[in-house]
Amino acid sequence: MMVRARGASGGLTESALIERLKNVLAQQGAKPRGVRVGIGDDAAVVAPIRGSLVWTVDASVEGVHFDVRWLSPTDIGARSFHAAASDLAAMGARPVAALSSLIVPSRFDRRRLLELVQGQAEASRELGCPIVGGNLSRGGELSVTTTVLGAAERPLLRAGARPGDEVWLIGDVGLAGAGQLCLERRLAPRGRAAKAVATCIAAWRRPRALLREGRRLPGRAHAAIDVSDGLGADAGHVARESAVRLVLDEARLVRLLRSELVEACRVLDVAPLELALSGGEDYALVATGPARARGRGMRAIGRVERGSGVLLESNDGRRRDVAASGFDHFRGRT
Amino acid sequence: MMVRARGASGGLTESALIERLKNVLAQQGAKPRGVRVGIGDDAAVVAPIRGSLVWTVDASVEGVHFDVRWLSPTDIGARSFHAAASDLAAMGARPVAALSSLIVPSRFDRRRLLELVQGQAEASRELGCPIVGGNLSRGGELSVTTTVLGAAERPLLRAGARPGDEVWLIGDVGLAGAGQLCLERRLAPRGRAAKAVATCIAAWRRPRALLREGRRLPGRAHAAIDVSDGLGADAGHVARESAVRLVLDEARLVRLLRSELVEACRVLDVAPLELALSGGEDYALVATGPARARGRGMRAIGRVERGSGVLLESNDGRRRDVAASGFDHFRGRT
């Protein structure tokens, strides 16, 4: 490849449009190291790499994963790229390269398409993960499908958590969920709340894949996952795959909540802890590992026990199951 | 990953549907060699591989690349997989693994979704290219995006054709284009023509990526491409990237046309040669290389000269430019 195009766009011939998109992506600078053939042939060619290949694909679909009223084309491009790359962070992998497949309706004009690709290029630069090819198709509905390839000597899985491990949180949770709620409810408060709401909305619009943080996990953590569906639900995946129970410490978790989340939740009239547990799309990381191995930015929020599920334990020792918190993408919010 | 699902499908919970899809894909047999983590974690993990990575993505969109009236769900799955894998054939790469990203409207019910995945699984087995993960999203329009990873010691590019090379055709051209025309025109002839039309329609419905044939090219060919847009247009890509002229020999090309194409074209009232030059989606391969290196299944249809473009030369020495034959996906048939 590629970027190869099928069935697309407003007056431009295939080759003219692709030339423009190539130029936007080429602002990545010189041909990245290791990329032998980038955009333009039948397939991209990447020099041999050390370690196992870690490989993931993620799609962002208009009306399902984003609302074009709330996101600029650049946001859509950057956001979808970080969402895809976040899976590499969860595996402790280093990024190698990415491919982008766009389905673009004719009403999404050339200018916006170029802005979207600009957003992808920005994210790609920020994460050190060059876009080496892709595919462009016409279609009735905008979607961005990003495939990301990484490498790791010892990829971290969801399985591997052991009784006695601590549970670590890397990054923030709840902000993006609060931001989305603020947009849905068209909140426009003033003063301090305005800044908090803006921070939450920015967290939703422009999440950041924690690749650098993820790469510090192998050798320390036993298991990891990224929080795309909500802390409760994603911790639940680790518990299930590792056949253990995760017990989250309510007091510790509350202490870690960002003040902007607390402030925005006051305006939203929602409990910050609930959003922290059930709000997705922050792309924080949750890992488990022995206390002695905990490193910078890994904040203990609980422990691993024998058993199953994810329990939230309050100061008085009461426990409630929170693995079901979060978003089941088939059924809606549970 | 994965197969992870977002925003999807008819009553089934995410996990129940994914379990079913995993089972369909698992009929691939035991976990394929080299696949360390398949469906179910944040990303797939593939054991270290030798050689450069050859990597491509292709999307099939309902109403753009296929019409659901003409294809069963199984056809859609198999066809999209072969179309994506064909890029590996063109690079002379061996397949390593694939990821599938599906966007599925709610009207496309669970039964058909499972059939579609069955079609992908069939193609994956046939080509020895295991599907190790994917993504499932709800959306308004059915699309299948397939990412295929391969490896090659010396990947073949479009650039590399040299004056003095022969032009080789591997596989058939024109059949799929004729098949699509027969479907569009709702042709249902009797007798010998019926068999020819059925062959053409089958070529369009169930193309085959020539991976085995492609792997015989490195060491023999200097350049290669797969014919997705039409022989004229795709030969044009080789000419442009290699900065040479390809001269196709009309008499040789006509001799190679399949009798079923000739027969179907009689019913269609179309010149078989025109369909051979402009009909896409057969996924034949075109390569160039020195005559002494030509191997089994590589049929000489012309030669490479200094110059530019793709010319068709008739017996009396007349030449016409055919690089523009084929499908510009932005503008329609040219």
Side-chain angles (χ1 to χ4, degrees), chain B:
Chain B
M1 262 187 305
M2 316 182 218
V3 173
R4 210 171 29 186
R6 302 235 163 136
S9 170
L12 266 187
T13 60
E14 173 171 346
S15 47
L17 177 58
I18 288 169
E19 213 38 55
R20 288 293 302 273
L21 297 179
K22 269 169 78 168
N23 288 342
V24 171
L25 293 172
Q27 288 166 24
Q28 292 174 154
K31 193 157 79 172
R33 214 163 54 94
V35 178
R36 295 201 171 155
V37 177
I39 295 164
D41 215 295
D42 289 301
V45 178
V46 177
I49 56 178
R50 266 179 317 133
S52 293
L53 303 179
V54 178
W55 195 26
T56 178
V57 63
D58 195 50
S60 292
V61 184
E62 175 182 354
V64 178
H65 304 100
F66 61 86
D67 186 319
V68 288
R69 290 170 305 171
W70 298 341
L71 291 173
S72 72
T74 322
D75 289 336
I76 295 169
R79 190 173 188 272
S80 58
F81 197 93
H82 280 276
S86 177
D87 282 322
L88 292 192
M91 307 288 283
R94 63 182 187 277
V96 171
L99 301 179
S100 157
S101 180
L102 302 174
I103 299 176
V104 182
S106 53
R107 66 178 181 281
F108 197 79
D109 60 30
R110 195 185 70 162
R111 184 182 55 77
R112 287 191 292 169
L113 176 56
L114 290 167
E115 283 171 17
L116 189 157
V117 173
Q118 186 67 53
Q120 294 179 296
E122 275 174 27
S124 147
R125 265 197 304 275
E126 189 182 340
L127 296 174
C129 183
I131 297 172
V132 295
N135 193 79
L136 178 63
S137 292
R138 185 188 279 289
E141 169 179 270
L142 181 66
S143 69
V144 183
T145 300
T146 311
T147 311
V148 186
L149 185 66
E153 314 307 321
R154 285 189 297 171
L156 269 175
L157 307 185
R158 295 175 178 186
R162 304 173 199 168
D165 279 357
E166 288 182 341
V167 178
W168 303 331
L169 175 66
I170 300 105
D172 295 307
V173 287
L175 290 169
Q180 189 178 2
L181 265 185
C182 292
L183 286 166
E184 281 171 11
R185 299 196 191 162
R186 293 189 175 76
L187 289 188
R190 299 192 177 191
R192 214 172 81 180
K195 216 181 138 200
V197 165
T199 299
C200 291
I201 289 176
W204 180 78
R205 280 200 178 123
R206 288 292 186 111
R208 195 169 67 80
L210 303 181
L211 280 175
R212 231 170 326 154
E213 294 82 349
R215 287 182 65 184
R216 287 201 289 264
L217 290 174
R220 298 174 181 274
H222 293 144
I225 194 168
D226 65 323
V227 182
S228 53
D229 296 343
L231 176 57
D234 288 313
H237 293 308
V238 172
R240 198 161 36 250
E241 297 295 323
S242 300
V244 295
R245 167 177 296 160
L246 270 60
V247 181
L248 307 183
D249 182 321
E250 181 172 336
R252 280 174 185 266
L253 194 53
V254 167
R255 268 203 304 279
L256 293 180
L257 299 181
R258 287 269 297 269
S259 62
E260 293 93 334
L261 173 64
V262 176
E263 186 71 34
C265 281
R266 202 166 294 146
V267 185
L268 285 165
D269 194 22
V270 172
L273 184 65
E274 294 311 310
L275 265 183
L277 287 167
S278 69
E281 305 192 310
D282 284 295
Y283 302 104
L285 301 174
V286 173
T288 82
R292 58 176 157 66
R294 175 156 41 90
R296 190 159 49 90
M298 304 166 200
R299 300 167 308 168
I301 58 166
R303 62 188 183 281
V304 178
E305 292 183 353
R306 286 176 208 286
S308 64
V310 182
L311 303 178
L312 184 73
E313 189 172 63
S314 59
N315 263 345
D316 58 9
R318 276 182 308 177
R319 292 174 158 202
R320 65 174 170 114
D321 190 342
V322 293
S325 312
F327 202 77
D328 181 326
H329 294 287
F330 287 145
R331 289 182 176 282
R333 204 159 287 273
T334 52

Side-chain angles (χ1 to χ4, degrees), chain A residues 129 289 296 314:
Chain A
C129 184
R296 190 159 50 90
S314 58

